[in-house]
Amino acid sequence: MNMKNTVGTLLEMKQRGEKISQLTCYDYSTARLLDQAGINTILVGDSLGMTMQGYDTTLPVTMEEMILYGRSVVRGCQNAFIIMDMPFMSYQVSVEQAVENAGRLIKETGANAVKLEGGAAVTGQIQAIVDSGIPVCAHIGMTPQSVNVFGGFKVQGKGEANAERVLQDALAVQKAGAFMCVLECVPPKLAGLITKKSEMITIGIGAGKDCDGQVLVWQDMLGIAGEFQPKFVKRFGEFGKLMTEAFQTYDAEVKSGAFPEEIYTYAKSDCSDAFLSQLDSKY
């Protein structure tokens, strides 16, 4: 029997050495399926800017869009722990702005936690949000909102100096109160060390198997996101091909007249031929 995932149950899983599953989600129908499948945590990511809206980066996504998508996901879940991404420039200006927007995401969607990108630079925001009663998931390593600073989507923590910086970021966000941290595109040995040194839960994406859990974008892992496939993505199905084939079959049957067959109509409720003839003559 599935039970509601909470901060407490997730931390207990880490302590027992049990792995935690996480997937992104942006809509009610998919959320229902993920929840029924037993996925522990759902991330309503600002990645929706790319997967749902067709942007090249996550930067254009707004608070209003996050709230709209987040509400849909929450309505589809009973047991999954739902985390809302704080979009670009919704927390960087000030601590007060961060707390206000984190509060909006929780209050207006019904989600369970917020996620914001950055290490030591955003510890003030993390601490203030936690102090206001909102659980925080941090995000370090390759942080997509900093794509222009990094010069692209690149592995972070390569080399001794950079590795120490990423570890310091992890310890800083933990001290600020984050209960969970996404490690994105971090070398696996470094991610393992961070996990070992952390009381908070580590969720890897392109960071190896030693993290406490893993996250993927669901469209990536089911082959729907297009031809580009990041190195860290495993395809658990080729649903993009199946969907395209189904759409093509539908298109062909509509155009040939093969669909809809009688079994897909309400023929038994139709009027008599005689009455329809009268209507034809009358009008």
Side-chain angles (χ1 to χ4, degrees):
M1 180 179 178
N2 290 334
M3 296 178 59
K4 175 65 181 178
N5 291 272
T6 67
V7 170
T9 63
L10 294 169
L11 286 170
E12 288 172 0
M13 288 180 69
K14 174 185 173 74
Q15 291 165 4
R16 293 193 299 264
E18 299 176 13
K19 297 295 187 179
I20 295 167
S21 59
Q22 184 175 116
L23 284 171
T24 64
C25 187
Y26 321 98
D27 67 282
Y28 169 80
S29 298
T30 307
R32 286 183 65 246
L33 297 176
L34 299 187
D35 196 61
Q36 291 170 6
I39 299 299
N40 297 116
T41 61
I42 289 177
L43 173 63
V44 185
D46 59 1
S47 49
L48 66 87
M50 303 170 77
T51 60
M52 305 297 286
Q53 298 176 325
Y55 292 119
D56 292 331
T57 71
T58 63
L59 302 184
V61 178
T62 67
M63 276 289 296
E64 286 67 28
E65 289 169 336
M66 291 302 306
I67 290 168
L68 176 65
Y69 285 92
R71 284 173 177 163
S72 300
V73 171
V74 169
R75 285 193 289 265
C77 294
Q78 293 183 346
N79 299 310
F81 186 90
I82 302 171
I83 303 168
M84 294 290 305
D85 254 345
M86 298 191 70
F88 182 59
M89 295 310 296
S90 68
Y91 59 92
Q92 288 93 338
V93 174
S94 67
V95 169
E96 292 75 17
Q97 178 211 33
V99 173
E100 180 179 357
N101 282 326
R104 282 194 65 194
L105 288 173
I106 298 300
K107 186 173 183 178
E108 298 183 38
T109 68
N112 306 114
V114 298
K115 180 172 78 66
L116 61 160
E117 297 181 10
V122 295
T123 52
Q125 288 91 325
I126 292 173
Q127 183 171 344
I129 294 170
V130 172
D131 287 346
S132 72
I134 299 171
V136 170
C137 174
H139 185 159
I140 63 174
M142 172 56 215
T143 47
Q145 291 179 13
S146 302
V147 62
N148 290 326
V149 174
F150 293 145
F153 299 98
K154 298 180 178 180
V155 174
Q156 299 298 306
K158 295 171 64 176
E160 294 177 356
N162 288 327
E164 185 172 5
R165 175 183 57 79
V166 173
L167 174 58
Q168 289 174 342
D169 278 340
L171 297 176
V173 297
Q174 175 175 267
K175 185 177 180 180
F179 82 100
M180 178 183 284
C181 185
V182 171
L183 308 180
E184 182 166 358
C185 295
V186 172
K189 290 183 180 178
L190 175 59
L193 176 61
I194 291 171
T195 301
K196 176 183 175 182
K197 301 288 288 185
S198 296
E199 295 180 3
M200 62 182 176
I201 297 161
T202 60
I203 301 292
I205 179 166
K209 64 180 181 180
D210 290 330
C211 296
D212 296 313
Q214 299 293 325
V215 62
L216 285 176
V217 172
W218 81 261
Q219 288 95 332
D220 286 342
M221 54 93 73
L222 291 185
I224 294 175
E227 294 301 319
F228 175 72
Q229 180 175 325
K231 179 180 176 60
F232 54 75
V233 172
K234 176 180 178 179
R235 291 275 180 91
F236 288 81
E238 293 295 342
F239 285 79
K241 294 179 181 178
L242 291 174
M243 291 171 69
T244 300
E245 290 172 359
F247 296 149
Q248 290 172 336
T249 301
Y250 169 78
D251 177 71
E253 290 195 9
V254 167
K255 291 175 178 175
S256 70
F259 175 82
E261 299 95 316
E262 186 175 349
I263 60 171
Y264 301 114
T265 67
Y266 297 96
K268 292 183 179 179
S269 302
D270 215 339
C271 301
S272 67
D273 291 341
F275 179 71
L276 291 174
S277 295
Q278 292 176 12
L279 290 181
D280 187 26
S281 301
K282 183 175 180 180
Y283 293 97

